[in-house]
Amino acid sequence: MSEESTEKYIVTSALPYVNGIKHLGNLVGSLLPADVYARYLKRKGKDVIYICGTDEHGTPAEISALKENLPVEEYCKKYYEIQKRIYEGFHLDFTYFGRSSAPESHKITQEIFLKQWENGFIFEKEDEQLYCLIDERFLPDRYVVGTCPHCGYERARGDQCENCSALLNPTELINPRCTICGKDQIEVRKTRHLYLDLPKLEPEVREWVEKQTHWPAVTKGIAMKWLNEGLKPRAITRNLKWGIKVPLKGYEDLRFYVWYDAPNSYIGITMQWANKIGKPEIWKKYWKDPDNTKLIQFLGSDNVPFHAIMWPASLIATRDNYVLAHMIKGFNWLTYEGGKFSTSMNRGVFTDQALELFPADYWRYYLMLIAPERQNTDFKWEGFAEAVNKDLLGSLGNLVNRVVSFLNKNFDGVIGKVDKNDPEVQALIRALKKGLENYVKEMDSYEFQKTVIILRDLWQEGNRFFQQRAPWKQVKENKEKAHVTLSAVAHFVRGIAILSEPFIPKTSETIFKNLGLDPSEVHLITLDHVVDFDSLEGKKVSSDPEILFQKIEKKQVQELIKRFGGREEKKKTKQKKKGNQKKGTISYSEFSKLDIRIGEIKTAEKIEGSDKLLKLTIDIGSELRTIVSGIGHLYTPEELIGKKTPVLVNLEPKKLKGIMSEGMLLMTGNDDIGWYFLIPEKDVPNGTKIM
RNA sequence: AGCGGGGUGGGGAAGCUAGGUUAUCCCGCGGGGCUCAUAACCCCGAGACCGAUGGUUCAAAUCCAUCCCCCGCUACCA
């Protein structure tokens, strides 16, 4: 066995919670980049497994199951199947997509726990918790509301009062109520829980984290913050029925906390795979050979503490030889049209809807292009359409189509010999070589956005070469040379199809098909065969090439924004919220944005077709402003001329009755007592600021 | 309020960790070319006091300090 083959990789994506169908944000923050990376490693010829599955334990699953009137096991199975099918639709090429509730996950979690127990990293502590007599369950903090002991707010949550923002303990609440049944049949019960002794493990965790100099800023920053604040013991059990049992006498009523069992399921799911393929021991080859295995984990930044601190600590505490993460690639957040994805407000796109609208590769490409690697990024329908129309269709699709069509029209579809002495051809080969080099460099640094841009540049490079060589002219003057041009481009296209495979696997298949190659080959060829300008010689391209992408029309974009919620809707809801609230405090900096000055009304005239609006010209010192004001029923134009009044000068201009109004008169009063000008006590020059 | 991320030509981003020739890319805009290709492609051009102020330095978008603004998280919704 060569040294190369003992090097193994485990790629994991954060386990999506079983509860319902996920947003695009969930895809882009872990599942998709993990898939792209695992595919990349396969393109490098590495021994790699890509592990993921649903995270099924915990209270939310139980509650959602209640709501759907299903036993929790059935509920989880249902959503496991649904999510699995969706991810297959996105061509996520898992080695195994399992479940955290499978027997293997129970087994490994219990095994890990027992080792920690033997090694003295687990202790018991008694605690008080609220218990709902109706639901017959202990209530997690979030499932209790009651009156705040500090401010008397009646709907304070178990952990914090929204009104006075005091941090609370659920047992402090006055008249606590259960949010599951809504009743107040609650009592305080003593309960004991098991804790993982993180303070004891801290030095080892710190030493390990400090060694990870190659982690991205998001990951390392969050991990160091936790360590610097000091680790506290963390409960690993809950009072639930749904979950993994604690394998100790006297603790049979307890279940492990989700945060504790979920990451163990990466191992558990690998075991599920191992059992399924009939090699029950093979999981150890990956998870218990830390010197030769690299664990690469993809997750959203909220998950970083669990993967960078808690889980490694947990594994270290076993004193066993489990693999710890080599890379934890944390992602920031994806927003939707400038705001957040929101289930309740029905804003944003769910993964199942996405697949009904467009092929998976459209999403894969755009999402990786805007992957929130170093900052939050925004999903925009216009951006999506642009990426599809310009990059995928205009650049890649066009290149593939034009070369295949041209070969069919002029050379019976046969690819010829590439003349490698031709300097322009040499330049094209060099460009592909260089592209490959950069691609590997960026992928090895887990830089997905940058890799996508390298791909896009290569697609353009193909078009440039095609344009520069103008085979449609060559074919008339020197048919042989035209054939060289087309053959070179065909080989180039083959190369970029392989490079593009991790990102747009289905498209790469189609490209291979159009080139007359076996589509499944594109998932097998390794990167060292990308730069190859010989292998297609004599081959025949497809006589009926498949169109790679469909254009997304402007009209369609507008419809999508309308259907899924766009900016307009966001504005409205924001205004609504504000309108319902009392005026809150503003900071001085916000106040200082207001530019209010004394202005003198120079002219005033009625606006045709309006009974209240007057068009005023106001001298604000530096200039004359046109302001439309609704005071026509209070004053005649003549009365207004010469009046001095405070004017809000930097108000966003707005068209009223077709006239641009560039400011606002400030007056006092209301409709009962009338409206009055605020006239300065002493005459001041026009344009004097009001502070 | 606390925490995290960010402010770079009209829009979106790269560059900032290891300061240094004309600040890079995509879209848009202006002009030109091509007609093989899903009006898709290619070339040229205009456009940036790199959030503000102060500092370090021969030299700062890049380092330090202060401030301002935006977004997200703080709800087992990633």
Side-chain angles (χ1 to χ4, degrees):
Chain A
M1 201 183 260
S2 73
E3 198 183 327
E4 185 71 9
S5 65
T6 62
E7 189 187 16
K8 292 156 300 212
Y9 288 84
I10 307 167
V11 175
T12 71
S13 148
L15 306 182
Y17 199 71
V18 72
N19 203 344
I21 293 164
K22 303 295 152 189
H23 278 303
L24 288 181
N26 206 328
L27 248 198
V28 75
S30 55
L31 292 153
L32 184 51
D35 181 64
V36 171
Y37 195 75
R39 284 176 182 273
Y40 165 70
L41 289 175
K42 286 175 204 160
R43 294 288 70 66
K44 280 180 101 177
K46 302 294 185 188
D47 180 351
V48 48
I49 53 172
Y50 173 24
I51 296 299
C52 191
T54 41
D55 175 11
E56 304 189 358
H57 292 132
T59 315
E62 284 185 282
I63 309 255
S64 301
L66 274 178
K67 279 185 191 155
E68 288 204 17
N69 219 354
L70 284 174
V72 65
E73 289 84 354
E74 273 178 44
Y75 173 87
C76 287
K77 185 155 192 296
K78 177 181 161 188
Y79 280 95
Y80 162 74
E81 299 288 351
I82 290 174
Q83 290 204 29
K84 186 166 183 253
R85 207 175 328 122
I86 291 171
Y87 303 144
E88 277 164 8
F90 278 102
H91 312 312
L92 299 183
D93 191 17
F94 304 111
T95 300
Y96 197 73
F97 186 79
R99 310 175 59 183
S100 74
S101 66
E104 291 87 346
S105 290
H106 285 243
K107 188 168 168 261
I108 188 73
T109 294
Q110 291 176 341
E111 208 174 295
I112 285 172
F113 166 77
L114 286 173
K115 289 255 171 69
Q116 294 167 343
W117 174 262
E118 283 164 23
N119 295 335
F121 289 110
I122 305 287
F123 65 86
E124 184 196 302
K125 207 177 104 189
E126 197 167 65
D127 211 352
E128 287 186 333
Q129 224 183 330
L130 297 181
Y131 185 86
C132 174
L133 297 165
I134 301 205
D135 293 315
E136 296 180 338
R137 62 161 70 228
F138 282 94
L139 296 172
D141 299 355
R142 294 285 171 190
Y143 291 95
V144 192
V145 293
T147 304
C148 173
H150 302 280
C151 70
Y153 179 64
E154 285 179 11
R155 292 200 48 83
R157 295 188 314 237
D159 57 341
Q160 189 175 24
C161 171
E162 282 177 314
N163 193 47
C164 69
S165 76
L167 292 175
L168 302 173
N169 223 320
T171 49
E172 291 177 81
L173 289 172
I174 301 161
N175 185 25
R177 299 182 302 282
C178 165
T179 60
I180 301 164
C181 62
K183 304 275 169 43
D184 60 355
Q185 302 292 302
I186 286 179
E187 63 179 37
V188 178
R189 286 195 183 180
K190 279 203 191 311
T191 166
R192 71 225 188 299
H193 281 291
L194 293 170
Y195 284 73
L196 180 63
D197 196 345
L198 288 168
K200 211 166 165 185
L201 290 157
E202 185 175 324
E204 286 175 77
V205 176
R206 179 182 286 273
E207 193 195 334
W208 176 71
V209 168
E210 280 172 353
K211 273 193 299 192
Q212 313 301 324
T213 49
H214 55 291
W215 283 3
V218 211
T219 313
K220 186 103 193 214
I222 295 174
M224 287 314 292
K225 193 195 121 212
W226 276 72
L227 287 169
N228 292 337
E229 283 175 2
L231 301 183
K232 294 175 194 72
R234 206 176 166 93
I236 61 168
T237 54
R238 293 284 89 179
N239 304 96
L240 297 169
K241 296 190 187 89
W242 173 237
I244 298 175
K245 285 186 180 169
V246 177
L248 271 187
K249 270 208 174 120
Y251 296 94
E252 289 85 355
D253 56 322
L254 293 179
R255 300 291 178 273
F256 286 112
Y257 210 145
V258 246
W259 74 263
Y260 180 81
D261 81 60
N264 292 333
S265 290
Y266 292 129
I267 306 173
I269 291 167
T270 312
M271 292 161 82
Q272 290 164 42
W273 165 67
N275 287 336
K276 187 156 182 240
I277 62 169
K279 296 180 184 168
E281 295 302 307
I282 198 172
W283 68 274
K284 289 182 186 163
K285 174 185 144 193
Y286 294 93
W287 285 99
K288 297 203 124 180
D289 185 10
D291 294 335
N292 298 305
T293 306
K294 282 183 174 162
L295 171 60
I296 320 276
Q297 308 201 276
F298 294 86
L299 34 102
S301 60
D302 61 322
N303 245 324
V304 167
F306 296 105
H307 290 75
I309 304 285
M310 261 74 98
W311 195 45
S314 175
L315 291 181
I316 288 171
T318 63
R319 298 284 177 239
D320 214 332
N321 58 339
Y322 289 106
V323 173
L324 300 186
H326 168 72
M327 167 54 70
I328 298 176
K329 175 79 178 176
F331 282 84
N332 287 299
W333 309 101
L334 184 71
T335 55
Y336 174 83
E337 293 279 355
K340 60 175 175 177
F341 280 86
S342 164
T343 314
S344 53
M345 277 157 66
N346 204 20
R347 292 188 77 246
V349 190
F350 288 92
T351 45
D352 56 341
Q353 299 169 319
L355 285 177
E356 284 165 21
L357 292 168
F358 297 102
D361 281 356
Y362 291 27
W363 298 106
R364 291 179 63 113
Y365 176 75
Y366 179 59
L367 290 175
M368 291 317 289
L369 180 67
I370 63 166
E373 293 182 277
R374 59 200 77 233
Q375 59 200 309
N376 294 351
T377 56
D378 193 29
F379 174 92
K380 281 202 186 89
W381 283 109
E382 277 179 26
F384 174 73
E386 186 185 298
V388 171
N389 293 343
K390 295 285 172 185
D391 299 348
L392 291 180
L393 191 156
S395 206
L396 177 60
N398 182 36
L399 178 63
V400 174
N401 195 29
R402 68 202 296 205
V403 66
V404 174
S405 304
F406 202 100
L407 278 167
N408 275 324
K409 268 186 199 162
N410 295 285
F411 301 99
D412 288 328
V414 178
I415 299 166
K417 191 172 172 59
V418 179
D419 175 8
K420 294 195 194 99
N421 294 320
D422 185 317
E424 285 173 357
V425 171
Q426 284 171 354
L428 184 73
I429 296 173
R430 271 202 307 275
L432 185 58
K433 258 189 196 152
K434 189 75 196 157
L436 170 65
E437 241 171 64
N438 292 335
Y439 175 97
V440 168
K441 187 179 135 235
E442 296 300 353
M443 281 306 275
D444 284 346
S445 316
Y446 312 90
E447 294 279 0
F448 293 98
Q449 280 185 291
K450 288 182 185 169
T451 311
V452 173
I453 287 170
I454 288 164
L455 280 179
R456 192 178 62 189
D457 287 347
L458 281 172
W459 303 341
Q460 288 173 351
E461 192 58 40
N463 278 313
R464 257 195 295 277
F465 177 81
F466 203 106
Q467 193 72 26
Q468 181 193 4
R469 299 277 289 194
W472 53 91
K473 271 185 198 157
Q474 288 177 327
V475 83
K476 289 171 197 156
E477 297 150 8
N478 181 345
K479 199 164 180 183
E480 202 43 48
K481 207 168 175 190
H483 205 187
V484 169
T485 299
L486 268 301
S487 304
V489 177
H491 283 90
F492 186 84
V493 165
R494 173 187 166 280
I496 59 179
I498 299 164
L499 287 177
S500 305
E501 190 269 350
F503 293 85
I504 44 174
K506 202 77 201 158
T507 304
S508 287
E509 276 186 19
T510 312
I511 295 173
F512 260 47
K513 212 169 90 197
N514 287 352
L515 287 175
L517 299 169
D518 175 357
S520 60
E521 281 275 304
V522 79
H523 304 301
L524 303 172
I525 296 176
T526 51
L527 293 180
D528 41 339
H529 296 97
V530 165
V531 184
D532 168 352
F533 285 77
D534 301 299
S535 66
L536 299 181
E537 191 181 332
K539 288 225 159 69
K540 219 171 164 216
V541 300
S542 165
S543 56
D544 181 24
E546 195 177 315
I547 291 295
L548 260 40
F549 306 101
Q550 293 296 330
K551 190 173 176 179
I552 302 174
E553 302 293 344
K554 273 220 172 85
K555 209 178 124 198
Q556 213 176 339
V557 172
Q558 295 312 316
E559 283 165 9
L560 289 164
I561 291 174
K562 219 171 168 184
R563 180 171 159 203
F564 292 96
R567 278 217 182 116
E568 284 307 303
E569 278 185 32
K570 189 196 161 201
K571 265 189 190 164
K572 270 182 207 158
T573 50
K574 264 197 174 168
Q575 278 167 4
K576 217 178 174 182
K577 254 190 197 165
K578 277 183 185 162
N580 291 341
Q581 283 170 353
K582 283 179 199 166
K583 282 184 185 172
T585 56
I586 59 167
S587 65
Y588 177 76
S589 69
E590 280 174 70
F591 167 75
S592 65
K593 283 193 236 168
L594 298 175
D595 187 353
I596 306 174
R597 303 180 193 199
I598 294 297
E600 182 181 346
I601 301 176
K602 289 290 188 188
T603 69
E605 56 180 284
K606 283 230 166 207
I607 292 172
E608 287 290 320
S610 153
D611 43 8
K612 274 164 91 173
L613 293 183
L614 296 181
K615 180 182 169 189
L616 310 173
T617 313
I618 300 195
D619 180 356
I620 55 164
S622 54
E623 59 181 293
L624 289 175
R625 284 287 181 89
T626 302
I627 290 181
V628 178
S629 187
I631 52 174
H633 57 308
L634 303 168
Y635 294 90
T636 64
E638 292 75 21
E639 285 170 348
L640 289 171
I641 291 175
K643 284 238 190 300
K644 289 204 173 190
T645 175
V647 177
L648 178 59
V649 176
N650 61 344
L651 183 69
E652 186 182 11
K654 181 162 171 103
K655 252 188 189 173
L656 295 169
K657 280 278 168 189
I659 297 161
M660 196 52 94
S661 177
E662 307 161 311
M664 181 175 173
L665 297 189
L666 301 180
M667 299 177 76
T668 185
N670 59 47
D671 289 337
D672 293 328
I673 61 171
W675 289 92
Y676 306 98
F677 278 103
L678 300 159
I679 294 170
E681 195 181 335
K682 246 187 152 179
D683 196 16
V684 296
N686 294 338
T688 306
K689 276 202 160 193
I690 291 172
M691 315 286 290

